[in-house]
């Protein structure tokens, strides 16, 4: 038993070392990634199922790691936040997304909007409003075509500071949505205080539709609440036509998920704007 305990200890230490090693490696790599042009955005469409058209597109960050290939954000967003790198990288994301959206417009898809994920840390930097305005001007994109996605943790933070910045952005015409709605801080009163345009129903609820009555009930409740507060509602992570029909049935007509398209690289992004997503 003593021997086993010791082995287990060694095993944990090795695993821990490997993790620390990976973090160190990623941190070094991330510090150079912007300069080396290793970040890229993939784009996932949101479809209005009444028309089959793409109404907006979410920009999702990817890291083209020189040795590991495409690394997904769950492996490095936290590290970007912990090191403060999320501010310059986040500003790059906004700039790049605005440019891409302007390109779509120039290619004839002139109603489409682009959505960008914004981390809480970006609100703390105090350069967000300026960076967003500059990105819009540089790209020649009208503000109503940019949507910022925040999670509920942003709203639960320093209310005053976040609220001031959100009001300024919304005042400039930028749209605001609450991401992963229903999974975070649940004092719903903030919905009446914050300038918000859309709720995105978290995919964990949508994936429970048809399997768990409680998840179906939450999804229904969010859609009803959005309607009575005059907010738009987006269903995310839609993978099956059963989930799609359920959402349609409760009046949620804008959907995003692998059923329609996974996130795609920029060079293929214009293709999905041209086709009927339901055909
Ligand atoms: P999120 O904002 O909730 O983005 C949706 C995630 O769900 C994306 O994962 C997307 O690829 C995935 N997804 C879409 N449709 C489906 C589906 O039908 N089934 C399943 N299982 N998954 C689906 P991704 O791209 O790996 O991004 C993960 C998270 O990383 C995002 O979650 C977001 O919180 C964060 N993130 C991504 N890009 C950025 C960024 O530029 N800035 C910041 N701060 N965070 C970002
Ligand atoms: Ca999002
Ligand atoms: Ca989400
Ligand atoms: Ca999420």
């Amino acid at each position: 038993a003593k021997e086993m305990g010791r082995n287990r200890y060694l095993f944990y230490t090795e695993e821990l070392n490997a993790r620390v090693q990976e973090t160190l490696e990623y941190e070094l790599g991330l510090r150079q990634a912007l300069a080396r042009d290793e970040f890229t955005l993939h784009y996932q469409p949101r479809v209005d199922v009444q028309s089959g058209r793409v109404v907006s597109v979410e920009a999702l960050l990817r890291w083209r790691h020189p040795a590991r290939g495409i690394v997904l954000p769950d492996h490095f967003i936290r590290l970007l936040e912990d090191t403060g790198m999320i501010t310059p990288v986040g500003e790059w994301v906004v700039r790049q997304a605005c440019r891409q959206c302007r390109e779509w417009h120039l290619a004839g898809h002139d109603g489409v909007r682009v959505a960008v994920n914004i981390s809480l840390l970006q609100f703390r930097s105090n350069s967000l409003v300026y960076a967003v305005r500059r990105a819009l001007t540089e790209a020649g994109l009208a503000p109503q075509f940019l949507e910022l996605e925040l999670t509920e943790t942003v709203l639960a933070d320093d209310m005053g500071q976040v609220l001031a910045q959100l009001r300024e952005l919304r005042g400039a015409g930028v749209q605001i949505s609450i991401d992963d709605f229903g999974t975070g801080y649940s004092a719903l009163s903030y919905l009446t205080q914050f300038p918000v345009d859309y709720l995105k129903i978290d995919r964990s609820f949508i994936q429970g539709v048809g399997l768990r009555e409680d998840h179906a009930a939450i999804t229904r409740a969010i859609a009803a609440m959005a309607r009575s507060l005059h907010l738009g509602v987006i269903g995310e992570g839609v993978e099956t036509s059963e989930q799609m029909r359920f959402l349609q049935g409760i009046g949620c007509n804008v959907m995003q998920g692998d059923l329609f398209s996974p996130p795609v690289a920029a060079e293929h992004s214009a293709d999905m704007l041209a086709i009927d997503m339901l055909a």
Side-chain angles (χ1 to χ4, degrees):
K2 211 175 189 176
E3 183 78 348
M4 258 181 69
R6 189 179 153 75
N7 281 341
R8 190 146 53 208
Y9 171 76
L10 282 175
F11 175 72
Y12 280 136
T13 331
E14 271 170 33
E15 195 179 84
L16 200 66
N17 280 338
R19 280 249 214 89
V20 170
Q21 202 60 48
E22 188 187 83
T23 304
L24 285 175
E25 186 213 308
Y26 273 8
E27 184 172 338
L28 283 174
L30 283 170
R31 289 200 182 279
Q32 297 162 324
L34 256 188
R36 293 183 173 170
D37 200 24
E38 288 170 2
F39 289 116
T40 188
L41 295 181
H42 282 194
Y43 296 95
Q44 188 176 36
R46 282 110 174 236
V47 179
D48 178 345
V49 294
Q50 287 177 311
S51 65
R53 308 297 301 189
V54 175
V55 290
S56 58
V57 175
E58 179 172 3
L60 294 156
L61 185 58
R62 302 289 182 257
W63 179 20
R64 286 177 301 206
H65 189 283
R68 294 173 189 250
I70 297 278
V71 182
L72 293 173
D74 286 338
H75 294 278
F76 63 84
I77 291 286
R78 197 39 216 286
L79 205 50
L80 289 179
E81 292 176 340
D82 290 347
T83 55
M85 286 187 272
I86 192 69
T87 301
V89 174
E91 290 179 3
W92 177 87
V93 170
V94 174
R95 252 192 342 266
Q96 192 64 25
C98 288
R99 268 191 221 139
Q100 180 63 68
C101 190
R102 175 71 176 147
E103 274 185 40
W104 293 328
H105 289 188
L106 291 173
H109 312 292
D110 49 7
V112 76
R113 290 182 292 112
V114 72
V116 171
N117 293 285
I118 303 287
S119 127
L120 169 61
L121 273 292
Q122 292 176 261
F123 281 91
R124 297 221 184 110
S125 77
N126 277 317
S127 60
L128 181 66
V129 176
Y130 175 72
V132 168
R133 282 179 181 277
R134 201 185 41 194
L136 287 165
T137 312
E138 276 175 16
L141 187 72
Q144 67 265 28
F145 295 112
L146 177 64
E147 180 181 323
L148 303 180
E149 295 196 1
L150 328 170
T151 56
E152 291 165 276
T153 48
V154 174
L155 306 184
D157 196 54
D158 179 350
M159 293 273 232
Q161 200 196 13
V162 171
L163 192 56
Q165 294 177 71
L166 279 184
R167 286 210 174 115
E168 216 176 319
L169 289 163
R170 182 94 161 334
V174 171
Q175 311 249 288
I176 308 291
S177 55
I178 308 296
D179 206 352
D180 304 341
F181 188 78
T183 60
Y185 191 71
S186 55
L188 294 174
S189 59
Y190 72 73
L191 282 179
T192 61
Q193 294 166 43
F194 282 90
V196 166
D197 301 285
Y198 301 94
L199 301 182
K200 292 189 73 181
I201 306 173
D202 191 66
R203 71 163 187 264
S204 60
F205 301 127
I206 288 171
Q207 285 171 4
V209 161
L211 304 167
R212 296 184 50 165
E213 184 42 42
D214 54 344
H215 284 191
I218 289 171
T219 304
R220 232 181 261 118
I222 294 174
M225 187 172 62
R227 194 165 31 248
S228 56
L229 292 172
H230 307 291
L231 301 174
V233 63
I234 302 171
E236 75 171 354
V238 178
E239 292 178 347
T240 68
S241 44
E242 183 193 8
Q243 292 161 359
M244 174 181 135
R245 278 193 303 272
F246 177 85
L247 288 170
Q248 263 187 304
I250 60 170
C252 171
N253 291 310
V254 178
M255 305 178 200
Q256 171 180 354
D258 292 349
L259 177 65
F260 307 100
S261 168
V264 301
E267 57 266 37
H268 304 297
S269 63
D271 302 345
M272 69 193 178
L273 301 178
I275 57 172
D276 180 345
M277 282 297 201
L278 298 174

